[in-house]
Amino acid sequence: ELARSILQYRVDRLPASAIKAQSYDPPYDGAMFAWESASTGLETCPPEAPTGMLEQHISADITIAVRQYFYTTSDVLWLKKDGFRLVSKVADFFVSKVVPDKAVSGQYHINTVIPPDEYASHGVNDSI
């Protein structure tokens, strides 16, 4: 029950995560969850902390939590009802964010993001 309620919190905040994804220039598709969120799911990280805009591993972490929940519970009904939508929206975000490698055909990168090492304030490529 507890794990499911934590994931439900994220499902309920998909609209706010879409607003965050759209707030970038260029805007991204899908769901990018806030680094620091209010109960609404909207980003509350202060603008003077520029790393907040680069903290994008949270969305990927949430998809891992969906996988772990399913592996542990085999809750196919939840996966079909909410889990797939959650993972799909995060995938849409990353698909819209990747850029092709100019030197290697078929290779793509996710540039300028903060890995779990929050001291990498300049952003690190491919660190999701």
Side-chain angles (χ1 to χ4, degrees):
E1 282 296 308
L2 181 60
R4 185 176 179 164
S5 71
I6 291 169
L7 288 172
Q8 191 61 47
Y9 171 89
R10 297 301 186 171
V11 170
D12 293 345
R13 280 141 189 91
L14 278 169
S17 68
I19 291 169
K20 177 156 174 80
Q22 287 288 301
S23 73
Y24 286 75
D25 185 20
Y28 298 116
D29 296 331
M32 181 191 172
F33 286 91
W35 170 238
E36 297 177 7
S37 72
S39 61
T40 62
L42 295 173
E43 182 66 72
T44 59
C45 185
E48 57 272 9
T51 56
M53 293 294 286
L54 305 177
E55 294 275 6
Q56 299 172 13
H57 63 89
I58 304 306
S59 300
D61 297 342
I62 291 166
T63 64
I64 293 169
V66 169
R67 182 186 69 177
Q68 293 303 96
Y69 173 78
F70 177 70
Y71 284 177
T72 302
T73 66
S74 301
D75 189 348
V76 174
L77 292 177
W78 181 84
L79 189 66
K80 287 180 179 179
K81 180 179 175 281
D82 291 318
F84 176 77
R85 181 168 47 110
L86 185 56
V87 171
S88 179
K89 293 292 184 184
V90 171
D92 290 343
F93 166 70
F94 284 115
V95 166
S96 72
K97 182 161 176 51
V98 298
V99 294
D101 187 310
K102 294 178 182 169
V104 181
S105 178
Q107 188 169 353
Y108 295 83
H109 300 281
I110 299 173
N111 293 334
T112 320
V113 295
I114 295 292
D117 171 11
E118 296 176 20
Y119 295 102
S121 62
H122 58 280
V124 177
N125 294 344
D126 301 323
S127 64
I128 298 295

